[in-house]
């Protein structure tokens, strides 16, 4: 599984907006606030919010956060913790550093690598693994570790912060933020009504001949094809891939470049995770780029980044409470503004011109852990000639 790409560079050192979340949080780029709602020594007074984390790269205006639980209302963290993170340091390092600095008696060490590599490492380390928390870019890696018996169930009050479809039914892991599959398109060339809401319609849409972009070597695209195999079967998926090749689909190395090419008019439509569109718009708010969604099919799959506690941890309570902090109102707002992901906690909305998470229409009957079974997908894509 791929490591996450940081297309906008390493995040600047955290800057905090003093205003509490309940009073509304500014989401403007380049905020230069100070820590609000906590004492200078990093301890908390429980009646106030910590404030906004991060530089606020999103240029989409003020944000009012009406839901979620502030870190100031969560159990304090104390002790030493080791996190194996499949999420890139450039994307989440600032958040982890903030949580580390928030408590005098808490220290977190993070080992960054690819999610699948870290799963293999934990399995290889066996009973001697130093990992307390595994933080993954995708549900598939979490499911793999859980199936290996290397996780422990999270407390109910942590699991209940996230809707059922975004966590393991057996409580072995929880999602922390999400990404939706979308169809970015060039608004100078198409309107929303021109974009099919059924992924199967694209190969027959001759108006898009030589105009569609995809990134077939990219992990999220391969997870999408895996979802199609799960929902439709191998033969219809083969036909879809061949149909797209016949349509003259253009290949890119990653989905940020797909969205960039659409914004530049090189192509006019493509397939990508939703946040790549928002990253383009954050830098070019007048770019002719918008987001369309298919409905109830593989093209609308919703995957999550998430976390679990590792069975060898000597401090399961601390590990679970660290994951609880990833589901705080402040952290969820951070994911929306800094990584442009979908927050998973009710009341914290995504940034930009996007539907709320409960307005999306992902397919039913897909276990997100199935999306890690890429071997058959890669074989099929190679057989068709996509790879």
């Amino acid at each position: 599984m791929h490591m996450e790409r940081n297309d906008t560079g390493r995040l600047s050192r955290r800057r905090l907006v003093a205003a509490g979340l309940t009073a509304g949080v500014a989401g403007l780029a380049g905020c230069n606030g100070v820590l609000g709602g906590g004492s200078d020594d990093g301890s908390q007074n429980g009646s106030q919010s910590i404030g906004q984390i991060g530089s606020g790269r999103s240029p989409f205006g003020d944000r009012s956060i009406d839901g979620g639980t502030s870190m100031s209302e969560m159990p304090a963290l104390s002790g030493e913790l080791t996190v194996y993170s499949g999420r890139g340091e450039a994307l989440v390092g600032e958040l982890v550093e903030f949580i580390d600095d928030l408590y005098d008696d808490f220290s977190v060490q993070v080992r960054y690598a690819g999610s699948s590599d870290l799963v293999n490492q934990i399995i290889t380390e066996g009973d001697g693994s130093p990992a307390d928390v595994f933080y993954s870019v995708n549900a598939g890696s979490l499911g793999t570790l859980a199936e290996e018996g290397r996780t422990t169930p999270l407390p109910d009050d942590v699991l209940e912060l996230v809707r059922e479809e975004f966590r393991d039914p057996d409580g072995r892991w929880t999602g922390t933020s999400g990404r939706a599959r979308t169809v970015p398109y060039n608004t100078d060339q198409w309107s929303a009504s021109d974009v099919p809401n059924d992924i199967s319609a694209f190969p027959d849409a001759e108006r898009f001949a030589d105009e569609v972009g995809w990134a077939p070597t990219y992990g999220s695209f391969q997870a999408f094809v895996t979802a199609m195999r799960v929902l439709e079967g191998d033969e219809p998926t083969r036909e879809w891939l061949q149909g797209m090749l016949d349509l003259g689909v253009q290949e890119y190395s990653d989905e940020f470049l797909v969205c960039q090419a659409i914004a530049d008019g090189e192509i006019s439509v493509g397939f990508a995770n939703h946040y790549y569109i928002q990253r383009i718009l954050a830098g070019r708010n007048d770019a002719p780029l918008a987001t369309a969604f298919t409905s109830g099919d593989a093209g609308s799959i919703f995957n999550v980044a998430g976390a679990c506690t590792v069975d060898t941890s000597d401090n399961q309570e601390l590990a679970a409470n660290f994951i609880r902090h990833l589901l705080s109102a402040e952290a969820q707002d951070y994911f929306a503004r800094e990584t442009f992901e979908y927050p998973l906690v009710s009341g914290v909305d995504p940034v930009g011109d996007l539907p709320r998470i409960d307005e999306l229409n992902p397919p039913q009957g897909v276990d997100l852990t199935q999306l890690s079974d890429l071997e058959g997908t890669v074989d099929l894509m190679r057989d068709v000639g996509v790879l």
Side-chain angles (χ1 to χ4, degrees):
M1 192 62 66
H2 72 286
M3 292 183 64
E4 290 185 290
R5 174 185 173 90
N6 175 35
D7 298 296
T8 53
R10 181 180 176 86
L11 295 178
S12 60
R13 187 167 178 83
R14 72 176 186 278
R15 300 186 179 92
L16 307 174
V17 176
L21 291 174
T22 54
V25 181
L28 300 175
C31 293
N32 289 302
V34 295
L35 176 63
S39 62
D40 291 341
D41 63 1
S43 63
Q44 300 165 281
N45 52 54
S47 62
Q48 292 183 318
S49 165
I50 299 302
Q52 189 183 59
I53 305 168
S55 58
R57 293 187 299 139
S58 166
F60 297 110
D62 293 348
R63 287 171 55 80
S64 177
I65 309 301
D66 300 320
T69 302
S70 173
M71 289 184 192
S72 63
E73 300 173 20
M74 293 184 168
L77 304 181
S78 178
E80 297 182 356
L81 199 71
T82 298
V83 175
Y84 281 18
S85 178
R87 306 220 60 191
E89 183 177 7
L91 292 178
V92 302
E94 190 172 18
L95 172 61
V96 174
E97 181 186 6
F98 174 77
I99 298 173
D100 189 350
D101 290 347
L102 189 60
Y103 302 99
D104 284 345
D105 297 328
F106 176 62
S107 175
V108 59
Q109 300 296 321
V110 187
R111 182 175 298 179
Y112 292 100
S115 290
S116 58
D117 292 336
L118 290 173
V119 168
N120 291 333
Q121 184 169 346
I122 292 171
I123 293 171
T124 300
E125 290 169 340
D127 292 341
S129 177
D132 297 297
V133 171
F134 172 50
Y135 188 16
S136 173
V137 69
N138 58 67
S141 293
L142 292 164
T144 298
L145 196 63
E147 290 303 313
E148 290 288 333
R150 298 304 312 276
T151 65
T152 53
L154 291 165
D156 288 343
D157 60 351
V158 173
L159 294 167
E160 289 167 359
L161 294 171
V162 173
R163 283 170 26 187
E164 289 185 6
E165 61 265 42
F166 304 137
R167 50 184 163 92
D168 178 56
D170 296 320
R172 299 171 296 180
W173 57 265
T174 182
T176 53
S177 56
R179 53 187 178 274
R181 294 300 295 175
T182 63
V183 182
Y185 67 96
N186 185 293
T187 56
D188 287 342
Q189 299 184 57
W190 309 110
S191 64
S193 61
D194 294 320
V195 181
N197 64 3
D198 181 348
I199 199 71
S200 66
F202 277 87
D204 296 325
E206 294 184 3
R207 62 187 178 279
F208 295 144
D210 302 319
E211 290 287 329
V212 183
W214 68 10
T217 63
Y218 208 53
S220 289
F221 182 86
Q222 292 177 6
F224 146 67
V225 176
T226 303
M228 186 178 293
R229 292 177 58 222
V230 170
L231 290 165
E232 306 293 340
D234 281 6
E235 193 54 37
T237 303
R238 178 190 300 274
E239 293 175 0
W240 187 87
L241 291 168
Q242 185 62 59
M244 292 306 302
L245 290 177
D246 293 343
L247 193 67
V249 65
Q250 305 296 307
E251 180 176 338
Y252 294 84
S253 59
D254 65 51
E255 293 184 346
F256 180 84
L257 295 178
V258 170
C259 294
Q260 191 172 61
I262 294 169
D264 291 342
E266 295 175 14
I267 54 176
S268 62
V269 68
F271 307 117
N273 284 338
H274 80 277
Y275 48 68
Y276 291 114
I277 302 165
Q278 301 307 314
R279 290 178 190 179
I280 295 291
L281 293 173
R284 299 167 53 190
N285 59 13
D286 60 346
L289 182 66
T291 310
F293 296 82
T294 63
S295 179
D297 57 22
S300 59
I301 199 75
F302 189 95
N303 206 343
V304 298
C308 64
T309 54
V310 182
D311 66 327
T312 51
S313 174
D314 292 330
N315 199 334
Q316 295 286 331
E317 183 177 3
L318 176 61
N321 281 330
F322 177 82
I323 295 173
R324 189 193 305 268
H325 277 63
L326 298 179
L327 295 170
S328 66
E330 294 90 347
Q332 294 290 293
D333 178 62
Y334 173 92
F335 292 135
R337 291 181 299 100
E338 298 291 339
T339 67
F340 300 99
E341 294 173 282
Y342 266 95
L344 298 187
V345 170
S346 178
V348 187
D349 293 332
V351 298
D353 186 17
L354 292 170
R356 295 170 62 101
I357 195 168
D358 55 7
E359 295 173 328
L360 299 175
N361 188 21
Q364 301 298 309
V366 176
D367 178 353
L368 292 179
T369 61
Q370 293 175 290
L371 303 186
S372 67
D373 182 19
L374 298 180
E375 184 176 356
T377 295
V378 170
D379 288 344
L380 177 60
M381 293 173 69
R382 284 175 176 161
D383 189 50
V384 176
V386 173
L387 297 177

